[in-house]
Amino acid sequence: MSTPDIRAFFRLAHQHFGTLEALFNARGGVREAELRSHLDESSSHTASASYVFQQLQSHRLIEPLPEETASFELTPQVRDLFRTFRREQALSTPRAIQPYLDRLQELSARLRHHTEQSSGTGVHRGLEVIDTEIEKIRTLSRSNREAVLNRVTELRAGTATHSVRERFAIINNLLEDYVTPLQNIIQSRGAFEQLFSQLRKTLGEARSVFTDDPSLARDLKSTRARLRRVRQSVVENFEVTRREAMRLYEQQKVNSDILEGASSLLNRVHHEGPESLGLVDEMKLGSFTMRTVFQNEGLRAYLHKMVGYEPPDPDPIQEPTAMQAPSLLGKEALVTEARSACPIPDAMGWLVETLEQASPPRVLRAYRYLLQSPVLNTTFRGTRREYDFGATVLTAVPVQVDVEDDEPAPS
């Protein structure tokens, strides 16, 4: 089959959108006779239905169903477009990202080989393929995030006719199959983080070798920027997905526990009678007597005593000393100060010293600013260590922070 013309592809999709939408909604495909009839009715153009039908196939908008010739469906790429714009992305397990990581590892080794051979052409070709694989990972991560959030929203809205136990089972499977396993890939010593550090190091080596080639230097800078973006995107997508899924999981778990407890009590009442619950002994009927203010002699005496009372002057508010005032750096100011202090061998240790007297949540928020900053490079180094916040002790892998070589120095 010849390669379709891209302009004709989009023109056909626009002119016969109604037919394509009907195919997407049909799910199980549409018979050829019904499809031709639909083209005759919906098409406002002079071309015959037979010609349009042939064009839709040759430009890869539709294809026959497997093992059938009289029924047709949308091609995968067109169906994916409908899913994307309708926010009906299909879920994919975290294992789906592993082949992309393996491919990037292979390309990283090949890029290092071309760098050692001083082959600028080989490096340039390698960067094109690496850029493509990086964008595939970002697209997969974003699609999976939207797919999980769509299902969480549907369960939270309760539009489907699922029982409490069924909703709990669905969200539990969602966590076990699609959310939690991703943590093993993107955690500090996971495959994604290790590959990111390795590939960034390889790109840095290539930049140091091809300093006299401005075009290749731009390509290397662009690939490093893509790498930073996909790392930030994958981590952010995971955090959002896990937070929303866990929130619904806790809610459904409570509902499921309540339902289970209520079922157990009803079963007990059914077999042993209501007396088995001991409600008469446990739930005593209370009694009370209403008394007005003027019937309470003790309160009357107290109110008379309070007549004419003048409170003393309040103690003056003390001005905070320099040692008492906590550091109040904003996000931009924090990143600027971090850039000035680079290289920082331990980001958490540096924050503990910089943000004295700050609460652990605020230090963790600042820690996240550093990890997600597009102008800073962060690399996990060494083994886990503890950070003392008084009543709270945090355990984390030290993170080294440095500035991109092509970033201008702060003024």
Side-chain angles (χ1 to χ4, degrees):
M1 183 181 292
S2 61
T3 302
D5 179 66
I6 188 170
R7 289 175 297 182
F9 176 91
F10 284 107
R11 185 177 64 253
L12 284 167
H14 171 69
Q15 292 175 350
H16 305 286
F17 176 79
T19 300
L20 299 179
E21 186 178 34
L23 278 168
F24 177 79
N25 294 330
R27 306 297 182 184
V30 174
R31 301 288 295 177
E32 180 178 344
E34 182 182 350
L35 184 58
R36 288 177 180 271
S37 175
H38 195 285
L39 289 172
D40 279 331
E41 294 174 359
S42 62
S43 178
S44 60
H45 303 278
T46 57
S48 65
S50 298
Y51 176 77
V52 173
F53 181 74
Q54 184 271 332
Q55 288 292 296
L56 291 176
Q57 290 186 77
S58 63
H59 286 81
R60 301 177 189 174
L61 282 90
I62 64 174
E63 61 183 1
L65 281 171
E67 301 182 358
E68 294 189 34
T69 57
S71 294
F72 288 80
E73 64 180 353
L74 295 179
T75 55
Q77 60 267 28
V78 178
R79 184 170 296 278
D80 287 343
L81 279 175
F82 269 94
R83 284 174 175 165
T84 298
F85 286 100
R86 286 192 175 190
R87 303 183 64 83
E88 296 181 6
Q89 290 81 356
L91 280 168
S92 57
T93 64
R95 296 185 185 90
I97 202 175
Q98 190 62 49
Y100 295 108
L101 299 181
D102 295 340
R103 174 62 171 160
L104 275 180
Q105 189 170 13
E106 174 189 342
L107 294 173
S108 178
R110 191 178 301 175
L111 182 66
R112 182 180 293 107
H113 173 73
H114 288 311
T115 301
E116 292 172 352
Q117 299 296 321
S118 298
S119 173
T121 303
V123 170
H124 182 76
R125 288 198 305 266
L127 291 178
E128 291 181 352
V129 184
I130 288 174
D131 287 346
T132 301
E133 296 300 317
I134 288 174
E135 290 304 319
K136 287 180 180 178
I137 293 176
R138 190 167 72 97
T139 301
L140 178 64
S141 175
R142 182 176 62 243
S143 176
N144 206 54
R145 163 183 168 168
E146 293 179 355
V148 172
L149 294 185
N150 288 341
R151 281 153 181 77
V152 168
T153 302
E154 291 173 0
L155 290 173
R156 184 174 288 127
T159 54
T161 57
H162 295 301
S163 67
V164 173
R165 289 179 177 174
E166 288 174 338
R167 286 199 298 271
F168 178 65
I170 292 172
I171 189 62
N172 189 47
N173 291 337
L174 200 63
L175 278 171
E176 291 181 352
D177 296 340
Y178 300 101
V179 179
T180 302
L182 186 58
Q183 184 174 0
N184 299 328
I185 296 179
I186 67 173
Q187 63 185 359
S188 60
R189 295 185 181 277
F192 182 77
E193 186 60 41
Q194 291 183 4
L195 178 62
F196 174 84
S197 299
Q198 174 188 343
L199 186 53
R200 186 166 62 87
K201 181 180 178 181
T202 302
L203 292 171
E205 294 172 352
R207 290 190 63 184
S208 63
V209 171
F210 298 99
T211 54
D212 298 333
D213 190 335
S215 176
L216 195 54
R218 283 195 305 271
D219 292 341
L220 288 165
K221 177 182 176 181
S222 175
T223 300
R224 294 188 70 173
R226 289 181 184 275
L227 196 61
R228 287 198 304 272
R229 182 172 67 176
V230 73
R231 177 180 180 270
Q232 180 178 348
S233 177
V234 169
V235 173
E236 180 183 351
N237 290 338
F238 168 74
E239 289 179 351
V240 172
T241 301
R242 185 176 186 277
R243 181 175 64 248
E244 295 300 321
M246 282 300 299
R247 186 179 301 171
L248 182 60
Y249 171 82
E250 295 296 338
Q251 175 187 341
Q252 296 300 325
K253 185 176 185 301
V254 170
N255 293 341
S256 181
D257 290 344
I258 292 174
L259 178 62
E260 185 176 351
S263 299
S264 177
L265 288 176
L266 289 174
N267 184 61
R268 184 175 176 183
V269 169
H270 176 72
H271 290 88
E272 303 178 19
E275 297 82 7
S276 62
L277 300 181
L279 296 179
V280 177
D281 297 329
E282 296 294 335
M283 301 176 64
K284 301 291 185 181
L285 291 177
S287 61
F288 62 94
T289 303
M290 294 185 61
R291 302 182 65 185
T292 65
V293 172
F294 298 101
Q295 290 174 333
N296 193 321
E297 298 300 329
L299 182 58
R300 179 196 295 269
Y302 180 76
L303 291 176
H304 281 295
K305 183 179 178 181
M306 292 296 295
V307 174
Y309 171 76
E310 295 183 4
D313 295 334
D315 296 332
I317 298 177
Q318 296 182 355
E319 294 291 335
T321 63
M323 294 298 294
Q324 294 173 333
S327 183
L328 298 175
L329 290 176
K331 179 179 179 180
E332 299 300 330
L334 178 69
V335 173
T336 300
E337 185 165 339
R339 290 180 61 191
S340 301
C342 283
I344 301 173
D346 185 353
M348 183 65 76
W350 179 79
L351 287 172
V352 171
E353 296 178 358
T354 304
L355 304 177
E356 294 186 61
Q357 303 181 11
S359 62
R362 190 169 183 278
V363 173
L364 290 176
R365 187 161 54 249
Y367 184 66
R368 182 180 179 184
Y369 292 158
L370 297 185
L371 291 182
Q372 295 187 349
S373 173
V375 299
L376 298 175
N377 277 329
T378 55
T379 307
F380 291 90
R381 302 282 188 186
T383 58
R384 291 181 178 272
R385 55 163 295 191
E386 294 183 347
Y387 302 89
D388 189 4
F389 289 88
T392 305
V393 176
L394 299 178
T395 303
V397 176
V399 173
Q400 178 179 322
V401 181
D402 52 49
V403 185
E404 282 289 343
D405 297 337
D406 50 6
E407 292 292 338
S411 55

